[in-house]
Amino acid sequence: MKSKRVLTYLFLIALGIIMVYPLLFMFFAPFKSNDEILTSISLLPESFSELGLSAYINGWKAAGDETFGVFFKNSFMMVVPTVIFTVLSSSLVAYGFARFKFPFKRILFTLMISAIMLPKTVIIIPSYLLFKDFGWLDTYLPFIVPALFACNSYFIFLFVQFFRGLPKELDEAAIIDGCNVFRVYTKIILPLSKPAMMSAGIFSFIWTYNDFFNSLIYLNSVSKYTVSLGLKMSIDTQGGTIAWNEIMAMSVLAIIPPTMIFFLAQKYFVEGISTSGLKG
């Protein structure tokens, strides 16, 4: 029995090393030369002192007139309002589905659920033409405005599942005390929904922050590029020899914001996923 447990632990440790290896390789790659990155699978560089932090310094300058400081600022200008509006609008729509009866509720809920399975690429052309007519191309509005109208069915379903677990007696007690339905939502439902809000916020932040495809389609000016576009531009503009240590250095910096947010809100994230019955 003991040997079986030891073998299990050894298997899990080996599996963990295999899964973490690419991430560790990326952390040490900025201290390696191009030849060492491309020809060796060793994690540790031959010498830390030879290259120092030059990969971070040169990589931060990116290409052209803009630095990665601009790309990080642009990413947050796009991501922060998108996350806030997504969480608030999705929770409001879910509150209606979870607490009220209205005509065609079942049909509308079915349509909303079916939208989860709709591939994003199916709507990219009509969305592009619509935003072009609105004059929103090369701005962050194609990301922010849809978030105002709860356009992500996944988050609505997450909130519906969570709200269904809250006792309706809380709503009834608040109404007896004089609250209207909107005050019930803002004073009772939202404060109790912190785990679901954190889960939706983390998912929305990571998906929007890492979004390369939509950013590439809607943003044309380099001065409005996000981090993901900045990384791709750094590769494209370096000609024949790509400085992979600089790309890896900026990749390390790029994953810091979503990683920090995940670990800071990990407690609420796990609680929200477990109580809503959803997995990302």
Side-chain angles (χ1 to χ4, degrees):
M1 187 68 181
K2 187 176 180 181
S3 60
K4 185 178 179 181
R5 181 176 297 179
V6 171
L7 288 174
T8 302
Y9 283 133
L10 289 175
F11 172 76
L12 291 176
I13 291 172
L15 185 63
I17 291 174
I18 292 173
M19 295 181 68
V20 174
Y21 175 81
L23 189 63
L24 295 177
F25 189 88
M26 184 181 71
F27 275 110
F28 288 109
F31 304 100
K32 300 178 180 178
S33 64
N34 257 10
D35 291 339
E36 195 177 351
I37 292 174
L38 298 175
T39 58
S40 173
I41 62 171
S42 172
L43 285 179
L44 297 177
E46 295 177 357
S47 171
F48 278 97
S49 58
E50 184 178 347
L51 294 174
L53 296 176
S54 61
Y56 284 93
I57 297 171
N58 296 330
W60 186 264
K61 297 175 184 175
D65 298 329
E66 312 298 344
T67 67
F68 264 87
V70 174
F71 300 148
F72 275 103
K73 184 195 72 174
N74 293 340
S75 289
F76 285 109
M77 285 177 60
M78 183 183 77
V79 171
V80 171
T82 301
V83 171
I84 294 173
F85 294 146
T86 295
V87 172
L88 293 179
S89 61
S90 299
S91 63
L92 183 61
V93 173
Y95 176 58
F97 276 120
R99 285 298 200 253
F100 301 104
K101 294 181 180 178
F102 50 86
F104 309 113
K105 174 182 174 181
R106 189 180 295 275
I107 296 175
L108 292 173
F109 188 75
T110 303
L111 290 174
M112 188 272 293
I113 293 296
S114 62
I116 296 177
M117 293 170 277
L118 189 67
K120 298 295 182 184
T121 49
V122 172
I123 61 172
I124 192 66
I125 292 178
S127 297
Y128 180 85
L129 295 176
L130 185 67
F131 296 146
K132 181 183 178 183
D133 289 341
F134 288 163
W136 290 355
L137 297 184
D138 203 23
T139 70
Y140 303 128
L141 293 178
F143 302 90
I144 297 173
V145 174
L148 277 169
F149 297 96
C151 287
N152 195 315
S153 302
Y154 177 83
F155 295 129
I156 298 174
F157 184 59
L158 185 148
F159 277 109
V160 168
Q161 291 293 94
F162 188 86
F163 291 161
R164 284 174 175 170
L166 299 177
K168 290 186 178 180
E169 287 78 7
L170 292 173
D171 302 30
E172 295 167 357
I175 291 174
I176 291 173
D177 287 342
C179 290
N180 56 33
V181 291
F182 187 72
R183 282 181 64 84
V184 171
Y185 166 71
T186 57
K187 300 296 183 183
I188 305 296
I189 300 297
L190 279 186
L192 293 174
S193 306
K194 194 179 293 182
M197 295 174 72
M198 286 291 182
S199 300
I202 290 174
F203 277 132
S204 178
F205 182 93
I206 293 176
W207 292 347
T208 310
Y209 181 83
N210 291 336
D211 187 4
F212 173 78
F213 183 70
N214 289 298
S215 300
L216 183 65
I217 290 175
Y218 295 126
L219 300 177
N220 302 319
S221 303
V222 176
S223 60
K224 296 178 181 176
Y225 271 17
T226 57
V227 173
S228 56
L229 292 181
L231 283 171
K232 184 65 173 67
M233 188 184 72
S234 298
I235 297 175
D236 292 339
T237 55
Q238 290 190 11
T241 304
I242 299 173
W244 287 109
N245 55 352
E246 297 176 9
I247 303 299
M248 291 291 184
M250 292 304 100
S251 299
V252 171
L253 296 182
I255 67 171
I256 289 177
T259 305
M260 288 181 61
I261 287 179
F262 174 77
F263 282 109
L264 289 175
Q266 186 180 20
K267 172 187 171 186
Y268 296 108
F269 176 75
V270 174
E271 187 178 350
I273 292 298
S274 60
T275 51
S276 60
L278 295 175
K279 293 182 179 179

